[in-house]
């Protein structure tokens, strides 16, 4: 079993740790460069992408994580984590940056203000229907040809991907850590094993 880290600068860290424990994975939280060096895969949780990007800078994790991503580190970003992995951000703050590890463009809070938070069932490739929790979620508005779409949602404005994968890097608009269904984390963990 790989050692999976959960980036623990801000956001719903505990929920991801719990799901990984249910799956029997070795988990550690990552706040420092030393802790990052010890993990074989990483989850970037939901939270607030502007705050997390600031904390990544001041903890000196930005450069190390960029390097690990370039080396093929398996990473799953959920919600704010997806924003941080994306190439371009609409409706971001002017000083907001992202790793550009996933060839997608996202719009922050892209599902509209009235429906800022909602739950729905989405069909995930290889798994089936999954209850998904959207909280001020980013909407994927462009994706490159190397991006595999594992689930999409039509919110009345046409279908947009909500779970994507590009090699070892996974992005999810919603919060798979907020339900008791651990299958998306399970897919991610299996993919780490497969790429080792
Ligand atoms: N809207 C938040 C952001 O921009 C993301 C929300 C979430 O992670 N639940 O970071």
């Amino acid at each position: 079993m790989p050692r999976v880290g959960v980036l623990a600068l801000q956001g719903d860290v505990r929920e991801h740790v719990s799901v990984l424990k249910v799956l029997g994975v070795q988990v550690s939280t990552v706040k420092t460069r030393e802790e990052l060096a010890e993990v074989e895969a990483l989850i970037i949780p939901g939270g607030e992408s502007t705050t997390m990007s600031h904390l990544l800078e001041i903890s000196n994790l930005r450069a190390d994580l960029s390097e690990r991503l370039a080396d093929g580190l398996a990473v799953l970003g959920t919600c704010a984590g997806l924003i941080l992995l994306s190439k371009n951000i609409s409706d971001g703050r002017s000083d907001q940056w992202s790793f550009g590890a996933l060839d997608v463009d996202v719009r922050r809070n892209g599902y509209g203000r009235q429906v800022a938070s909602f739950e729905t069932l989405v069909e995930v490739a290889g798994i089936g229907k999954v209850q998904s929790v959207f909280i001020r979620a980013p909407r994927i508005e462009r994706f490159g040809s190397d991006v595999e779409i594992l689930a999409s949602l039509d919110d009345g404005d046409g279908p947009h991907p909500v779970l994507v994968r590009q090699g070892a890097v996974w992005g999810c608009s919603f919060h798979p850590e907020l339900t008791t269904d651990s299958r998306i984390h399970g897919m991610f963990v299996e993919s780490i094993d497969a790429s080792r």
Side-chain angles (χ1 to χ4, degrees):
M1 272 284 181
R3 172 172 288 278
V4 181
V6 180
L7 186 68
L9 300 174
Q10 192 264 338
D12 59 348
V13 176
R14 254 185 314 170
E15 291 80 356
H16 278 291
V17 169
S18 305
V19 180
L20 291 170
K21 284 191 174 155
V22 166
L23 290 170
V25 172
Q26 285 191 71
V27 197
S28 54
T29 52
V30 171
K31 286 196 183 110
T32 64
R33 304 174 66 195
E34 294 70 27
E35 287 166 348
L36 178 63
E38 291 190 347
V39 299
E40 293 166 77
L42 185 72
I43 291 183
I44 307 180
E48 181 49 56
S49 57
T50 52
T51 309
M52 243 186 274
S53 59
H54 176 64
L55 295 173
L56 279 161
E57 295 266 20
I58 61 175
S59 59
N60 291 319
L61 277 167
R62 180 179 175 177
D64 288 34
L65 186 44
S66 275
E67 225 170 86
R68 294 289 309 270
L69 280 161
D71 280 352
L73 180 71
V75 179
L76 164 65
T78 62
C79 204
L82 161 64
I83 298 173
L84 282 163
L85 292 171
S86 69
K87 195 154 261 178
N88 296 295
I89 306 168
S90 305
D91 295 340
R93 239 176 41 187
S94 57
D95 61 344
Q96 193 168 358
W97 55 270
S98 56
F99 287 109
L102 253 185
D103 187 15
V104 301
D105 297 347
V106 297
R107 181 171 301 280
R108 281 179 73 215
N109 308 319
Y111 286 93
R113 279 176 171 241
Q114 293 88 328
V115 285
S117 301
F118 58 96
E119 284 192 34
T120 189
L121 283 174
V122 294
E123 179 75 30
V124 176
I127 292 185
K129 294 217 180 320
V130 170
Q131 184 71 17
S132 51
V133 182
F134 289 76
I135 304 170
R136 294 184 304 109
R139 192 161 83 168
I140 297 177
E141 300 196 328
R142 184 203 62 81
F143 53 93
S145 53
D146 290 342
V147 176
E148 195 182 335
I149 312 299
L150 299 172
S152 297
L153 175 69
D154 189 343
D155 61 340
D157 190 22
H160 290 88
V162 292
L163 178 64
V164 297
R165 173 179 183 183
Q166 184 176 359
V169 183
W170 297 56
C172 188
S173 296
F174 56 91
H175 289 270
E177 73 284 10
L178 294 183
T179 64
T180 51
D181 188 338
S182 58
R183 288 176 297 167
I184 289 180
H185 287 77
M187 275 170 90
F188 173 64
V189 170
E190 270 176 36
S191 80
I192 309 165
D193 284 334
S195 65
R196 286 200 303 169

